[in-house]
Amino acid sequence: MKCRSVACIWSSTPFPHRVTAVAALTELPTPTFYTAGSDGSVIWWTLSHSNPTSPPQVKAVGVLCGHAAPITDLAVCSPIADAKNGYGSSGSKFSALISACCDGFLCVWSKNSGHCRCRRKLPPWVGTPRIIRTLPLTPRYVCIACSFEDYSVNSIEGNEGIIDRETQPRKPPKSTILIVDSYLLSITQTVFHGNLSIGPVRFMALVLGDDEKRNSVFVADSAGRQQMVLISEDRGENLASSHGDTGQLESSFCCEGLSGEEQIVEVLTYGNVVAFILKDRCVFRLLNGDSMIGEVSFVDNLFGLDRGSTQTHAIGGIFLESDDVGNVCDANEYGNSIAVRFVVWNNVGYAVIYNVSYQNDVFQCEPHAEIPGTHYQPDMKLSIFFQQVNQYLVCIKSVCFNYEEPLLWRPLVTIWSLNRFDDEPGRLYCRCRMISDGVSFTNWFEKSTQLKGLDDLETTPTFGASPSSDDVDNTHVDRISNYYTYKGKVVSSSMIISENLFTPYAVVYGFLSGEIEVVRFDLFQGISFDDASSSPDEKSTACKQYFSGHTGAVLCLAAHQMMGSAKSWTFKRVLVSGSTDCTICIWDLDTGSLIMVMHHHVAPVRQIIRPPSLTAHPWRDCFLSVGEDACVALVSLETLRVERMFPGHMNYPSKVIWDGARGYISCLCQTHYGTSDATDVLYIWDVKTGSSERVLRGTAAHSMFDHFCKSISMNSISGTLLNGNTSVSSLLLPVVDDARFSSSPLNRSDNLLTSSRSSPNISNMTELNSSKTNAGKGNSVKRNSSSLIGLLSSKLPIKCSCPFPGIVSLCFDLASLMLSYQKNESMDNGGGKPVNINLKQQGVQEQSPSHHNPETLEGHDLVSLFEEYLLRYSLSFLHLWSVDRELDNLLISDMKLRRPENFIVASGLQGDKGSVTLTFPAQSATLELWKSSSEFCAMRSLTMVSLAQRLITLSHSGSAASSALAAFYTRNFLEVFPDVNPPSLQLLVAFWQDESEHVRMAARSIFHCAASHAIPLPLRNSKPTELPNMSSKTGSRDKHLGNMAEESITPKAEKQGISQDEESKILAWLESFEVQDWISCVGGTSQDAMTSHIIVAAALAIWYPSLVKPSLARLLVHPLMKLAMAMNEKYSSTAAELLAEGMESTWKECMVSEIPRLIGDIFFQVELSGPSSKSVTEISDASFSIKQTLVEVLLPSLAMADIPGFLTVIESQIWSTASDSPVHMVALLTLIRIMRGSPKNLAQYLDKVVSFILQTIDPSNSVMRKACFQSSMTTFKEVVRVYPMVAVNDSWTKLAVGDVIGDINNASIRVYDMQSVTMIKVLDASGPPGLPTLLTAATSGTMLTTAISALSFSPDGEGLVAFSEQGLLIRWWSLGSFWWEKLSRHFVPVQCTKLIFVPPWEGFSPNSSRSSVMANILETDRQLNFQDNAKDSNHGDSLKQLLHNLDLSYRLEWVEGRKVLLTRHGHELGTFQL
């Protein structure tokens, strides 16, 4: 399980975003909509109401980074069949967003958690995905139309119209129609693959047939030709049926008002009606007929408002779904009657809403309302989308002012109400009321340029009564023209430099103006590895560095640590930048001076690629530059010359990777940037010779490129393709599921999720050490390092990447942060090797850590100093500053944290395969993530609390701040923001068995704080008692015990009162194995999903019984037992602990019959780990710790729950298992645990216990005696210590056991010989010989009573004295050795030699179980009454009563000679002369 927290660093200027697709998830309470951009980013917006009456506000929450190419379409889907994930059933059927980009990548984004559930690339033969439509009846599946057509996103801008030649394609384009499962993004059916009879697919809709089996896909091209493709049910054959041939279709169009030349703007379907929107009109037809049923001209309304010289035309439309019309697939719509609203908009954003109705072959289309457009300016470009979100219409305009600056697109969002209108005199029809105007995600950039006071930023859109369109337009224009001020400062490329393995060193931004800015992290200034004495508080003077030398925009960056040892150059760290001015500049990072400008490209330089780790000597100080002149060059930093040119590519190679181990470079040239096409070419070059190795085309090129990526990431140290410290987007290259660590499941999930993150370079690190400290020994260092590196690399605590220019994400991995240095403790035990590794990890060179030389200890201090800094750095970037000012001040003063002053920091969530979700820096955006995502809450609070706890252990100074921080994230945060989602309990449970103790403790404490708020819906008790409210607030355990008691008193009928239906819901929830969102967040499997459900339910059933349904325990107990015995590394220990903890209160009555079987299973597991089965070394640590939990925690609680069953099992084990089996030892240890846990319950079985212990030391079985002797003696000592009625003589040769509880007429004491382990004597301890009739027990006959309360051998071992509380008697047997021997084998009960009555002492209470002779004489009447009751009450109850009142504190001690002292609880009760 991975717990990764993401911090995101934003540049101070907004990033460009031109909308190419929109989609909305309208589920309440916070409807969201998404806009996808041509750069591959998806912006996540919410419509939130501050209160129910106020109009909604639009907020830009964050950006979803999963694509590196233009996005072609967005759709909503529902990957998990039913939204039963706990916190409330969703009214809507959609729970996720699916996005597709030109590059063939698909991503599924969960609405609730906001992270990317799944990211996958479609196979190359499919082509480029164009349109996504969700299947209406099964929203888990989506239909995707793909094509290989020559088609770039620019053509769907809408203003310019689509290129003419597309109407007469040269050859029929190849198309693919797929059905994809959004759960794992796997292709489940290929509906069509081949050439359609129409042009390139532009529009697609799904048409439901009469029955479910005959669904079909409706496709149309830009000329209006259409075709239906049937989705065949048998997934083998694909039927393609076209409505007549193409010629007829075209002719029918011409006569029905569509000429072949006209461009269709949009094709919409609603029920049985198809609407073809052209530039100046809209034509309506039926799906199943060729005839036109109606037409609407836009000339009057859309063109009536003349915009001067601007040519306006329709560019899009949508059908509106209204609540009253009901679902699209309503029956009456197939009876050719329809009533719906329909919106059409033109290229300046002016829109008209029409009411369309079609009944009894009569078509009507009336304009209903209008939405005003924008003042069009000659130098302004617009791209406009409308999206319905419930009863609002959202207009999303992307505005760009300058044709030369394609980077400056900005989205603006305006909301219009569909229900409220403003009538204005002089207008033809009413106008929709504007709800909010011109909201953009750039608001906070404008305010944050000062970088101070960012905390108070909120995006506040302007409200008010609807202004006239002129006002609206002017405000827009003013707003938008602000962007001119950014022109030079727009970030065109960025990267993060991770100097050594662990900590980022600086962020580098390249701007449009050609300037480069390096911002260093000042948190780490002052840690220098050469000199540990330098003060860590020294603040760096230069936090920002500027490099100016380029005349055009900086497009790519890379940083490199020099490896070689040549004397000629002085620089160690180099920054390389490429620009649109066709030059490459090489800078010295330390001094800021320009080393060299290179002019070997004749077009803009797009990428700089660093050598992979472990590249051989001449190449490791080189880099590759890739230019738009289709040329790749290899430049050496040692010689500062171009060493190789790789020319002759077909066009710009968009994807280039370097395989350092084998010495190859592969360059993939795509015909159209970001699309898969049959004409793509892959060139493979040999680095050493500079010659072309081979050229592959089409889908083979893509497959070979993917294969190349796989082998590179296998050999690369960091497990990633890009070797860090470069601005190439981490999302660009295909993701490789790394197979190196696949043997261990833990690492597998790690690599699935993080293999594509660009991570810091490792080869830097060792070289850095050798060059600094002992340059002479460089080679030896390198040799060791390569073997260590595999060990270190999978645990990089902070992984950095730049998904888009200007956005840097830091991913903090909790496991590596907590475990990175814990091995250091082995230094004190003289374990040298791990320490050596760890110090190298820091970049500290050691000679031989096995001797405790002073240098090593200094290194150890340095390591802990470094670790403190690493934790402080992580806390500084992950903490939610400025929510609680007092806490902030405490953290700064007490814990020495530093607020990241020079950076604009936000938070985020790690997704599948390198994708990330990042919030905008405004605090409201981060809070939106806290509110919507219980997974984010759980992971962030877990990380913060664990890191704070770890920091306490390292430096005790910050303990107050640390506990305040823990309290803030567990409790106070929820109090400040009550609408924050409680953390996901299942996710917390996944970390209950984490390797690090701090993480385990944090996960449990957060679980307890959140449990009462976050009980999953199927388990929640619908009618709880009054108590839980108090208990959920206080969370105190006593209250819960109170609840438990109350629950046990409620009548049985109410307990059973749970319906069959509820029960099946609980079972369905417990057995649901679908990968929920939280599972994909931590990289678990479906097995984890099931097991954690069981654990969560069990924990709630034990600790919060009144808050969950009463029958939960009964349904849970069997799955929980199976889980405990499944030896699952992550959960079995937890399951065993829960079974043990709730045994008495919760589970016992449900499983009493199965306890002996479970005990037998545990013994079987113990037997498996025994010496006879296999060598101890083969047992893994995990299974060892699970067995430890089973034996130390679960077994004693099972044994206490069913003591006779346990004793039966262990007695049978003596004969059924090997004599040297560990089972016998475990049984003895468990007996000790029972004696300490519930001594009174075991008291009545003392005989069995003693005989079992004696069997283990039987001299006739020497093997067992040898194995168990020590444990058996320990157990005997414990028995004698706990039970006063068991005694041994001083020489440990004789042992006496008295009846604890017995019939008063035949109580006895048995004496054993320890050498021969046989019984040698029975002593009679039956009722006192005098006054028999006065004792109630004598008259009742079978009355049980406490027989012997204490025993003691005389110092010489020849006599035995016994005390009975019942009757207050002391008996004395004076048995000389002669008697012992002579009567040894005749077990006739021996009468006592002397009997002494003990006078009652002060405070002695004569009750039913403790009555003296005197009490009996005095209270005969009362006793007789009691006796009648006792006869009626059953035997078991009186036994329980006796056990409850059993007093194990009596002791008999010998004092001088023949005197014996009786004590109780250490108080003397009297001395008696024998």
Side-chain angles (χ1 to χ4, degrees), residues 498-503 610 718 723-725 758-764 796 798-800:
S498 300
E499 191 46 45
N500 54 11
L501 252 180
F502 284 107
T503 50
R610 297 187 49 241
S718 51
N723 197 14
N725 294 2
S758 53
S759 61
N761 183 7
I762 297 191
S763 48
N764 292 355
L796 296 176
I798 304 174
K799 293 187 175 169
C800 315

Side-chain angles (χ1 to χ4, degrees), residues 1112-1161:
L1112 183 61
R1114 184 168 48 79
L1115 299 173
L1116 255 180
V1117 68
H1118 287 98
L1120 192 64
M1121 280 160 57
K1122 283 181 192 153
L1123 184 54
M1125 298 312 299
M1127 307 301 283
N1128 172 308
E1129 292 185 12
K1130 293 180 208 154
Y1131 295 101
S1132 286
S1133 301
T1134 313
E1137 285 166 19
L1138 287 174
L1139 263 178
E1141 181 159 353
M1143 182 61 70
E1144 283 299 317
S1145 60
T1146 313
W1147 314 121
K1148 188 173 171 179
E1149 57 200 33
C1150 314
M1151 60 181 282
V1152 77
S1153 56
E1154 306 202 22
I1155 290 179
R1157 185 181 62 78
L1158 198 54
I1159 293 174
D1161 289 351

